[in-house]
Amino acid sequence: MPGVWADHMAGPTGVVGRHLADRPPIGDDPVPNVAPAEVAVPANPSHVRVPVTGGDLTVAVWGDLAAGPPVLAIHGITASSMAWVEVAGRLERPVVAPDLRGRGGSGGLPGPYGMAAHAEDCVAVLDALGVDAATVVGHSMGGFVASVLTHRHPDRVARLVLVDGGAPLAPVDDPDEGLGPAARRLRMRFPSKESYRDFWRAHPAFADWSPAIEAYVDYDLTGAGDQLRSRVSEEAMRSDFADLHTGAAGRAAFAALPAGTPFLRAERGMFDEPTPLYPDPDQLAGLAVKTIPGTNHYTILFGDAGAAAVVAELA
């Protein structure tokens, strides 16, 4: 989207995957996990790696998969699995959240990118974990991926929930204008973990800083010395941005959504501005829209009111 898009358990057993600790660093990433366990967060996931086209996808798992069908949680364009840490910590059912290719622990994975490619990666995750069908929730760009997954593989989706994403976006004449702040961040280098936290503390949407936000920010950081940087691939971000605005897969999937599909809408925008990402309710006609008061595009996952609303919809 435009702007700055932006071991409590042993892990699942009997899965077709490899634990994160058993593999070498991803790409040029010498710090594959920047110690989210140092932060007092609601819940820390275990990780498995799932084979996909071009390499392995890193997948966060909260809870015991033997406890029942999980929630498959799909993050946004410059986010990661840790976008779901607050929701996962409150939800009394297992949560599976992939780092989409080009992000997080999957930052070194090459393309293909795009909504259809991400959806196929999600199918690979379900296959590897032995999950026949999951409740699927997508935030921001993840809503588009979740919709395409539902459209193309309806038997794998028991229920779909969209969180401030998934409805068509207007074409963009100049992608660099929309991507400017995010692209600049991906090229920045930071001298310390604390300086990267300070960068994000200044973001208007993160005014109410929390341990969950801190864990999310720390997980995004990689590099060494004074050359720390975001794990997000600029190539992946640019490719996905174009697909969000012009790709056919997302629009076809949205048009095919069942009437009454839950859509949780943030009251405010990406920078906590009064205008939300989806200001026109007519654009969401046919969906079961709930506007969550006091939330912006980010705090709908990280804030108390937003996380509680998402959990209530998924529970």
Side-chain angles (χ1 to χ4, degrees):
M1 298 298 177
V4 187
W5 276 74
D7 201 359
H8 76 291
M9 57 168 286
T13 58
V15 303
V16 182
R18 292 185 285 279
H19 285 285
L20 193 61
D22 298 332
R23 53 87 172 168
I26 299 170
D28 60 351
D29 180 356
V31 190
N33 246 336
V34 185
E38 294 177 5
V39 184
V41 296
N44 292 312
S46 65
H47 292 87
V48 296
R49 288 171 60 82
V50 171
V52 294
T53 301
D56 287 346
L57 199 73
T58 298
V59 182
V61 181
W62 285 268
D64 184 358
L65 291 177
V71 170
L72 175 66
I74 309 174
H75 65 72
I77 193 168
T78 63
S80 72
S81 57
M82 288 298 281
W84 299 99
V85 62
E86 185 72 36
V87 169
R90 297 175 181 223
L91 193 62
E92 295 183 359
R93 58 186 299 189
V95 175
V96 173
D99 286 335
L100 299 178
R101 60 176 64 228
R103 287 87 172 171
S106 308
L109 267 178
Y113 306 110
M115 304 308 106
H118 293 311
E120 294 307 315
D121 286 346
C122 288
V123 172
V125 170
L126 295 178
D127 288 344
L129 298 181
V131 177
D132 292 331
T135 295
V136 178
V137 58
H139 171 249
S140 197
M141 185 189 83
F144 292 79
V145 178
S147 295
V148 173
L149 174 62
T150 303
H151 187 214
R152 298 192 173 194
H153 300 277
D155 57 317
R156 309 307 296 270
V157 180
R159 186 165 180 265
L160 172 66
V161 177
L162 302 177
V163 181
D164 218 37
L169 299 168
V172 175
D173 294 331
D174 182 6
D176 285 336
E177 181 178 352
L179 286 170
R184 286 193 294 272
R185 173 172 65 85
L186 300 190
R187 297 168 190 163
M188 292 175 68
R189 297 297 181 264
F190 298 86
S192 67
K193 180 192 295 185
E194 195 58 38
S195 67
Y196 195 52
R197 292 174 179 174
D198 288 343
F199 174 86
W200 280 106
R201 283 190 181 101
H203 194 296
F206 288 152
D208 294 327
W209 194 258
S210 71
I213 295 173
E214 192 160 290
Y216 166 75
V217 168
D218 286 357
Y219 185 75
D220 182 53
L221 197 61
T222 189
D226 61 356
Q227 294 295 304
L228 302 178
R229 57 176 173 79
S230 170
R231 297 193 198 197
V232 177
S233 159
E234 184 173 347
E235 179 188 1
M237 178 190 69
R238 288 186 175 277
S239 179
D240 286 340
F241 184 84
D243 194 43
L244 283 173
H245 289 271
T246 63
R251 293 179 181 273
F254 181 79
L257 285 177
T261 296
F263 188 104
L264 302 183
R265 175 175 173 261
E267 184 180 47
R268 301 175 67 85
M270 297 187 64
F271 294 88
D272 201 44
E273 69 273 29
T275 303
L277 186 63
Y278 290 99
D280 182 5
D282 290 341
Q283 184 181 7
L284 307 173
L287 306 182
V289 180
K290 297 179 183 177
T291 299
I292 312 304
T295 62
N296 61 48
H297 185 68
Y298 292 96
T299 59
I300 200 168
L301 291 186
F302 289 105
D304 182 69
V310 175
V311 167
E313 196 65 52
L314 295 172

